[in-house]
Amino acid sequence: MSKTITLLGSTGSIGTQSLDVIRAHGYKVHGLAANSSVDLLLRQTAEFQPETVCVVDESAAERFRTLVSGLSKPPKVLSGKDGLTQLAAEPADIVLNAVVGIAGLAATLTALENGRDVALANKESLVTGGYLVTNAARKNNVRLLPVDSEHSAIFQCLQDAHSAKTLEKILLTASGGPFFGKTRQELEHVTKEDALRHPNWSMGAKITIDSASLMNKGLELIEAVWLFGLPAEKVQVVVQRQSIIHSMVQFSDHSILAQLGVPDMRIPIQYALTWPDRAPCPAPELDFTQLKSITFDTADEETFRCLAACKKAIGKGGLAPCAANGANEEAVKLFLQDKIPFLKIGELVEAVVDSEPFGQPYTLSDVYECDAMARSYVNAHV
Ligand code: NDP
Ligand code: MG
């Protein structure tokens, strides 16, 4: 079936893989958005001919306006944060949100409030504003289709609505990242180059650092709680070094279902777009003759404090996960600028989560206020 997609964050790792899937299926692209990668966005615009393009960064948008005027069918060009939400509200069958960070939250909410199904890669939307996002989906009777590979795996295992009612536990798999098995002492002097070397997945810089610190698994645990409605204690992190099992679910009879495949994000991206159907995918099949073993380990929360801090945050509830996320976004930025050591990321995230009681419920402006508080805490403590 032909669908019309708006793709936010089209120039990133998920964005470009999404366009591979969109190209393979001949879907129509209504809108594209990025922050400032104007040259790639121009090539994408020439190929996919969207009606609307948003360039969030204002000076990049000026450059883009000049460049697109040379195209045979130039799109409408929006800019700024408001441009991104305006695009999210425009008609499309699915808004695929692959923006990185809390910058994606307002667009997720706007798309849902305007009756669009949202394919969600931007896990930070659920971590920072899970209460608002899930309410908006419910009130407008629209769907959140998970793109994150673990959540897609869980979603796929829950397609039988009858057994889904007896879901008892989620087994959220983790690769363990490049620093699996290392002690805090060994991690004291690791560099950003070490942290950016993920063993199984090729991803954007921020999520790659999050994978090295296990913050990504903490964010995903919070994401799973919002998407699947189980308490955090019922989401168990299982280290699966080869990233072949993308997650598992356990039912009341202690039967377990898993979803397996090569570590290629085009499979979960495609499932979010074709759901409830399946279709041939550009990703390769899993070759069991080459697969030597599938191993399991436990996550080391003493060393990787980000995971412990995220568990604490979802336990506290309210805006605590938003604070953890804001502290992490700021700390990762400082780590990538060589301004803080790797272990400091976890220490800062944990300190911010411990700093306030964080009541609930909250509004969107409370979310932004909390995010700003967490970021200034980090900058005041480096
Ligand atoms: P990238 O850094 O590769 O891409 C981020 C995209 O967001 C780019 O298109 C970028 O534009 C755009 N962007 C950045 N800042 C803003 C902003 N302020 N407003 C609007 N757009 C902005 O990230 P990934 O593709 O790796 O990750 C995207 C999301 O998907 C994240 O939430 C991540 O956690 C999640 N995810 C990613 C996976 C992966 O395999 N990469 C797996 C599972 C989840 P520009 O190029 O102009 O900077
Ligand atoms: Mg994931």
Side-chain angles (χ1 to χ4, degrees):
M1 189 184 111
S2 185
K3 289 186 181 172
T4 303
I5 316 287
T6 285
L7 173 57
L8 311 178
S10 64
T11 53
S13 164
I14 293 290
T16 51
Q17 295 181 84
S18 300
L19 288 173
D20 278 354
V21 171
I22 288 170
R23 186 185 295 110
H25 292 276
Y27 290 150
K28 185 172 164 25
V29 175
H30 170 79
L32 293 175
N35 187 36
S36 62
S37 299
V38 163
D39 297 323
L40 179 52
L41 199 51
L42 184 70
R43 289 198 296 280
Q44 295 177 344
T45 302
E47 179 180 354
F48 292 95
Q49 310 226 323
E51 310 288 322
T52 309
V53 176
C54 176
V55 186
V56 173
D57 180 90
E58 296 287 357
S59 59
E62 272 319 298
R63 223 185 113 220
F64 188 76
R65 282 192 177 98
T66 313
L67 291 170
V68 282
S69 61
L71 294 180
S72 58
K73 193 176 155 266
K76 175 172 81 182
V77 180
L78 302 171
S79 60
K81 287 181 190 169
D82 291 345
L84 190 70
T85 48
Q86 214 177 310
L87 173 55
E90 289 187 2
D93 294 315
I94 300 179
V95 174
L96 200 171
N97 189 347
V99 168
V100 61
I102 193 174
L105 171 62
T108 298
L109 282 171
T110 307
L112 295 168
E113 282 158 3
N114 283 276
R116 321 272 167 247
D117 286 341
V118 173
L120 194 64
N122 179 254
K123 62 191 86 186
E124 296 91 344
S125 285
L126 278 170
V127 172
T128 58
Y131 162 77
L132 303 173
V133 169
T134 50
N135 263 350
R138 200 170 27 246
K139 273 193 195 147
N140 294 285
N141 201 20
V142 285
R143 291 187 176 274
L144 281 168
L145 298 155
V147 169
D148 212 347
S149 59
E150 296 77 3
H151 305 75
S152 173
I154 296 160
F155 183 58
Q156 292 183 51
C157 292
L158 294 175
Q159 286 305 301
D160 168 10
H162 201 64
S163 44
K165 282 192 204 128
T166 74
L167 175 68
E168 186 180 73
K169 188 173 172 183
I170 287 171
L171 299 149
L172 185 72
T173 54
S175 71
F179 301 146
F180 176 73
K182 296 219 182 301
T183 61
R184 284 188 74 78
Q185 207 184 355
E186 288 169 322
L187 291 176
E188 258 165 29
H189 302 295
V190 292
T191 64
K192 67 179 177 210
E193 287 75 22
D194 299 327
L196 284 169
R197 221 171 283 129
H198 195 279
N200 306 337
W201 298 95
S202 158
M203 309 179 284
K206 190 254 177 190
I207 183 177
T208 307
I209 301 301
D210 289 352
S211 299
S213 68
L214 293 200
M215 183 71 189
N216 185 49
K217 216 41 61 179
L219 297 175
E220 289 184 354
L221 188 145
I222 297 166
E223 185 186 9
V225 166
W226 284 113
L227 282 173
F228 304 110
L230 284 190
E233 310 76 66
K234 296 286 182 187
V235 184
Q236 182 184 336
V237 174
V238 177
V239 175
Q240 203 290 281
R241 289 291 283 154
Q242 299 79 16
S243 300
I244 295 298
I245 299 180
H246 298 302
S247 276
M248 302 176 267
V249 299
Q250 180 177 308
F251 299 109
S252 57
D253 60 357
H254 294 175
S255 180
I256 293 171
L257 290 190
Q259 186 261 344
L260 283 71
V262 291
D264 186 318
M265 285 306 295
R266 290 175 300 182
I267 298 174
I269 291 167
Q270 174 170 302
Y271 190 69
L273 300 182
T274 61
W275 179 89
D277 299 324
R278 289 188 187 272
C281 182
E285 64 181 76
L286 179 59
D287 181 356
F288 277 87
T289 65
Q290 297 300 310
L291 188 64
K292 298 277 177 288
S293 60
I294 298 182
T295 58
F296 301 99
D297 289 279
T298 49
D300 175 0
E301 290 178 33
E302 284 306 314
T303 304
F304 297 93
R305 297 306 296 162
C306 284
L307 177 56
C310 284
K311 283 190 177 173
K312 213 186 281 185
I314 189 75
K316 279 190 161 190
L319 286 165
C322 171
N325 179 75
N328 180 62
E329 284 194 29
E330 202 62 18
V332 169
K333 199 160 74 185
L334 294 169
F335 173 67
L336 287 172
Q337 293 167 352
D338 297 315
K339 290 190 178 148
I340 59 169
F342 179 72
L343 287 175
K344 188 82 181 169
I345 300 173
E347 289 165 20
L348 287 165
V349 172
E350 194 168 25
V352 168
V353 171
D354 286 340
S355 70
E356 282 192 34
F358 298 106
Q360 56 184 351
Y362 51 81
T363 63
L364 186 57
S365 61
D366 296 332
V367 172
Y368 291 133
E369 203 179 300
C370 176
D371 178 66
M373 176 283 291
R375 288 169 193 265
S376 47
Y377 183 101
V378 165
N379 284 303
H381 290 82
V382 293

